[in-house]
Amino acid sequence: VRNYEETFTIHSVNSASSSIKSAITILDKNGDRYAIFNESYDKLRQISDIKAKAYNKNGVLIEKIKKADIKDYSANSGYSLFEDNRVRYYKPVVSENTYPYTIEYEYEYEYTGLFYFPAWLPVFGYDLSVEHSSFKVIIPEGESFRYDEANINEGVKISNEDDNEIFYWEVSNIPAIESEVYSPYLFEFAPVVYTAPNSFEIEGYKGNMESWKEFGLWVNQLNRGRDILPEKTKIEIDSLVEGFTDQLEIARVIYDYLQSRTRYVSIQEGIGGWQPFSAELVDRTGYGDCKALTNYTYALLKYAGVKSYYTKVRAGRNVPNFRKDFVSNQSNHVFLCIPFDNDTTWLECTSQTSPFGYIGNFTDDRDVMIITENGGKIVHSKVYSQEENTRVCIAQVSLKKENVCTAKVLTTYSGLQYDNVSGMLDESYEDQKKWLYKNIDLTNFNINQFHFNHNKADGPVAGVQYNIDINNYASCTGKRIFLPLNLLTRMDYVPPRNSDRETNVVLKSPYIHIDSIRFVLPEGYEIESSPENFEYKTRFGEYSASIEIQDRNILYVRKRKRNKGVFPADSYDEFRAFYKNISKADKIKLVLIQTEN
């Protein structure tokens, strides 16, 4: 980034504008992604005055990009029913002799309704150095906004000019940040400034973000009166829950009802991006987005006498947590919280297949904002323990003299490990078979039969059972057979060397993997040598492998635990050694020798 300048000007409680200038030099093809112009807009945020220029390595202007070259596309996601999001897009045409080149963009945004304020991210990706970047906020004197700085050496500079108050940040000469495996989210250690309004207004709905409580009251305002159910649906609910007294069981029945008669579609249009469809409309049409389906479930539970909370969350597998001390709209999804006396149940209302109470790593273990009758409140979502997140493999392998073996395998996935197989549970037989061939870690085998086991009533637990023939599984040399004991879960991955690690090592989801494999030896062979039992414990996790000889049967049991935690950068070599030792231990072999006839 040679230069980046962004000026955000607040005009009133519901209007603002932003002007942006950027110049980025691309050094090689790996940087081409940073030369792409890809800016979205919608009904509440319009983009205009886009200008673009390209320069060669000597700084000579080689192209003024025409307005027609910057395409205008619908950002329709493919599963959206209504969506006014659009994208202005341009990708420079480059060849091998183009590098280095510089691309320069200028454009403006006009905001109608101030719900989002921009965040300034000078280092917005890996392998990207910054020569100079600045961010300016202009606001009329007497008005206010809030900001939150992180990882910036020099803080804000404040001045006054023409009845306006000016807030200014800048950084210079920041080296590129190299991506490191198992590192924190980039913006947890890169410089960033977040901004947000105190008071705001969208399409006539006035709100306040000075506290989570006030923000939640605005959400309540949007949702008010949208939980009314048709009389025929009330009669159906009465019939469904008749005889049930336990609120958890009532909630389970209603969740099944929701899944059986609704489907998810995205709605992204104006205030509809924030306000749910009414429960009556969802009931009549059978569809809705996350807001609508969550509100509908809330209405069903409310009628049945079960208390629940509409909940805003930043969803995704690798996303930063809420900044609890900086009230702002940080969510991209909505789900439901049911606070029972002994525990809290969370419902993903957009899924037709998820077991009751299962939210997966899309929304687990993070701060969320529940919307109570008294406003917003920050709580923490479900945390899946190491003991819950298990993958257990039980197999029996019969070896033949011709170096062919047959294996019967049952693998069960629980807790967050359920996500590894859940996407295949309702797929066709052929798609399931393709998935098995892709995911069984063997090179030469045939699947004879298989079956996926799943009962949603058991929670996030699913299994796959299969019988296979394996060719050339063991290696033969003369009278000896060298038999690998780890049939299916050999770990080959070792994190790369990194002598100057800069970021902490972050392990997010703890789990336990257990393999119990019984080998039935072929006639005419006996054991010549057997590996010793092995156990290895570190702060990152544990590993053990044991071998038990039972006449002509060999029982191999492998257990691997990975712990959750944030570990200092200087522990990386130890962390790498943990993986390296597991990789080595997974290669152990039993040696069989042919007996004399």
Side-chain angles (χ1 to χ4, degrees):
V1 177
R2 308 299 295 277
N3 187 50
Y4 178 91
E5 300 175 15
E6 180 171 2
T7 300
F8 181 62
T9 304
I10 301 167
H11 304 299
S12 67
V13 71
N14 61 3
S15 120
S17 60
S18 190
S19 64
I20 297 166
K21 297 180 181 180
S22 69
I24 301 179
T25 297
I26 308 303
L27 303 179
D28 57 46
K29 64 181 180 180
N30 294 319
D32 283 338
R33 66 189 185 275
Y34 292 126
I36 296 172
F37 186 86
N38 185 24
E39 294 291 328
S40 62
Y41 69 97
D42 55 35
K43 179 180 177 181
L44 301 176
R45 189 177 72 148
Q46 295 290 318
I47 191 170
S48 62
D49 295 335
I50 304 172
K51 300 174 185 176
K53 297 177 183 178
Y55 300 84
N56 68 12
K57 62 184 179 181
N58 298 316
V60 176
L61 178 66
I62 55 175
E63 184 181 10
K64 282 188 177 181
I65 290 97
K66 303 179 185 67
K67 183 177 180 180
D69 294 330
I70 301 176
K71 304 300 182 182
D72 192 323
Y73 295 112
S74 168
N76 193 298
S77 54
Y79 51 82
S80 179
L81 187 66
F82 300 115
E83 189 168 307
D84 60 9
N85 289 346
R86 298 190 66 84
V87 169
R88 298 301 300 271
Y89 181 88
Y90 173 74
K91 182 178 181 179
V93 178
V94 296
S95 60
E96 286 298 323
N97 61 359
T98 302
Y99 305 101
Y101 67 94
T102 297
I103 191 83
E104 186 179 85
Y105 293 112
E106 293 185 32
Y107 53 101
E108 295 184 1
Y109 274 114
E110 292 289 338
Y111 298 85
T112 304
L114 291 184
F115 189 49
Y116 277 120
F117 273 24
W120 178 53
L121 314 169
V123 182
F124 48 85
Y126 290 104
D127 303 319
L128 184 79
S129 60
V130 179
E131 189 174 339
H132 181 261
S133 181
S134 67
F135 179 51
K136 182 188 295 185
V137 177
I138 302 175
I139 186 170
E141 288 184 348
E143 300 296 328
S144 63
F145 79 108
R146 290 171 297 113
Y147 60 87
D148 187 19
E149 306 168 333
N151 310 312
I152 292 180
N153 292 330
E154 292 190 23
V156 65
K157 299 174 183 176
I158 303 174
S159 60
N160 296 84
E161 183 179 316
D162 298 332
D163 298 326
N164 290 317
E165 198 167 10
I166 299 172
F167 297 76
Y168 183 77
W169 293 264
E170 67 176 338
V171 295
S172 298
N173 302 322
I174 300 178
I177 298 173
E178 184 177 354
S179 178
E180 297 178 320
V181 296
Y182 298 101
S183 66
Y185 188 71
L186 176 62
F187 302 122
E188 291 182 17
F189 57 90
V192 60
V193 173
Y194 298 99
T195 63
N198 287 315
S199 298
F200 63 94
E201 181 179 340
I202 301 179
E203 295 192 3
Y205 288 89
K206 296 181 179 179
N208 185 286
M209 284 190 194
E210 292 183 359
S211 69
W212 292 111
K213 177 181 178 180
E214 291 293 330
F215 188 14
L217 289 174
W218 180 76
V219 178
N220 271 338
Q221 183 187 165
L222 290 183
N223 295 1
R224 188 171 298 129
R226 294 178 174 266
D227 58 354
I228 308 302
L229 295 169
E231 289 302 317
K232 66 176 182 62
T233 301
K234 293 179 180 179
I235 293 171
E236 286 184 30
I237 296 302
D238 287 338
S239 175
L240 285 171
V241 303
E242 185 177 2
F244 288 98
T245 57
D246 184 88
Q247 291 212 327
L248 180 64
E249 291 306 312
I250 292 172
R252 191 187 301 273
V253 168
I254 288 176
Y255 189 63
D256 288 343
Y257 176 79
L258 167 83
Q259 291 184 310
S260 69
R261 64 189 312 272
T262 62
R263 62 186 176 89
Y264 171 77
V265 295
S266 176
I267 311 294
Q268 302 293 337
E269 188 177 40
I271 194 66
W274 317 113
Q275 187 176 57
F277 279 176
S278 68
E280 185 278 330
L281 181 59
V282 174
D283 188 87
R284 175 161 46 85
T285 62
Y287 61 71
D289 62 7
C290 63
K291 301 179 299 297
L293 295 175
T294 300
N295 178 67
Y296 181 56
T297 312
Y298 165 84
L300 294 170
L301 291 168
K302 179 181 177 182
Y303 177 73
V306 178
K307 190 179 190 66
S308 65
Y309 297 125
Y310 187 90
T311 303
K312 295 177 72 68
V313 58
R314 178 178 284 160
R317 187 170 185 176
N318 292 304
V319 296
N321 201 3
F322 268 22
R323 299 179 72 84
K324 290 193 293 185
D325 56 350
F326 186 68
V327 183
S328 57
N329 184 60
Q330 301 174 42
S331 66
N332 58 5
H333 185 60
V334 170
F335 65 140
L336 200 69
C337 169
I338 310 178
F340 294 114
D341 289 340
N342 298 323
D343 198 2
T344 297
T345 295
W346 303 87
L347 297 182
E348 177 50 65
C349 302
T350 64
S351 173
Q352 295 175 294
T353 58
S354 287
F356 174 78
Y358 181 66
I359 56 176
N361 56 29
F362 190 58
T363 51
D364 78 310
D365 193 11
R366 67 200 72 194
D367 293 323
V368 300
M369 179 173 68
I370 61 172
I371 310 300
T372 75
E373 56 274 16
N374 297 317
K377 181 180 178 181
I378 299 296
V379 301
H380 205 78
S381 67
K382 161 77 176 176
V383 178
Y384 291 89
S385 68
Q386 188 176 59
E387 290 70 25
E388 290 176 285
N389 303 329
T390 63
R391 189 208 63 209
V392 178
C393 176
I394 300 174
Q396 178 164 311
V397 183
S398 298
L399 282 78
K400 313 296 183 185
K401 288 185 178 180
E402 298 79 12
N403 198 16
V404 174
C405 61
T406 61
K408 297 180 179 179
V409 182
L410 171 62
T411 304
T412 304
Y413 303 83
S414 304
L416 293 178
Q417 297 289 298
Y418 171 83
D419 286 341
N420 294 329
V421 71
S422 62
M424 296 310 301
L425 297 176
D426 297 304
E427 294 299 322
S428 69
Y429 174 89
E430 288 302 320
D431 284 343
Q432 289 179 338
K433 191 172 185 179
K434 288 178 184 177
W435 184 88
L436 283 171
Y437 270 112
K438 182 179 179 181
N439 286 274
I440 294 174
D441 190 19
L442 293 168
T443 56
N444 191 354
F445 68 97
N446 294 303
I447 300 174
N448 296 319
Q449 62 185 47
F450 69 90
H451 176 65
F452 283 79
N453 307 302
H454 184 227
N455 182 355
K456 288 201 303 181
D458 295 333
V461 180
V464 58
Q465 187 170 1
Y466 53 88
N467 296 345
I468 58 176
D469 293 330
I470 312 170
N471 299 311
N472 302 316
Y473 175 67
S475 58
C476 301
T477 304
K479 294 182 177 183
R480 289 175 175 80
I481 295 177
F482 297 86
L483 177 67
L485 292 176
N486 190 323
L487 179 70
L488 296 167
T489 58
R490 286 188 296 274
M491 179 186 285
D492 295 320
Y493 173 75
V494 176
R497 289 185 175 87
N498 188 350
S499 59
D500 55 353
R501 175 87 180 193
E502 294 187 0
T503 60
N504 291 335
V505 176
V506 179
L507 303 181
K508 294 183 178 179
S509 298
Y511 56 75
I512 300 174
H513 289 174
I514 301 174
D515 296 86
S516 180
I517 304 172
R518 184 176 297 277
F519 292 91
V520 181
L521 303 186
E523 294 292 335
Y525 282 85
E526 63 182 26
I527 298 169
E528 183 180 49
S529 67
S530 172
E532 294 183 356
N533 293 344
F534 177 75
E535 188 172 355
Y536 182 49
K537 293 184 179 181
T538 75
R539 50 181 159 171
F540 309 104
E542 301 177 12
Y543 177 92
S544 66
S546 64
I547 300 96
E548 183 180 342
I549 300 172
Q550 304 167 339
D551 194 16
R552 304 200 61 77
N553 291 267
I554 307 298
L555 179 62
Y556 167 78
V557 178
R558 172 192 188 266
K559 295 181 181 179
R560 180 186 167 213
K561 293 183 179 181
R562 195 183 81 172
N563 298 334
K564 173 185 175 182
V566 178
F567 307 92
D570 61 11
S571 70
Y572 182 75
D573 286 344
E574 179 189 349
F575 171 69
R576 186 173 178 274
F578 175 58
Y579 273 73
K580 191 174 181 179
N581 286 331
I582 292 175
S583 178
K584 181 179 178 180
D586 276 350
K587 294 180 174 65
I588 59 172
K589 295 180 181 181
L590 190 76
V591 182
L592 308 178
I593 190 166
Q594 191 173 14
T595 57
E596 297 294 337
N597 293 329

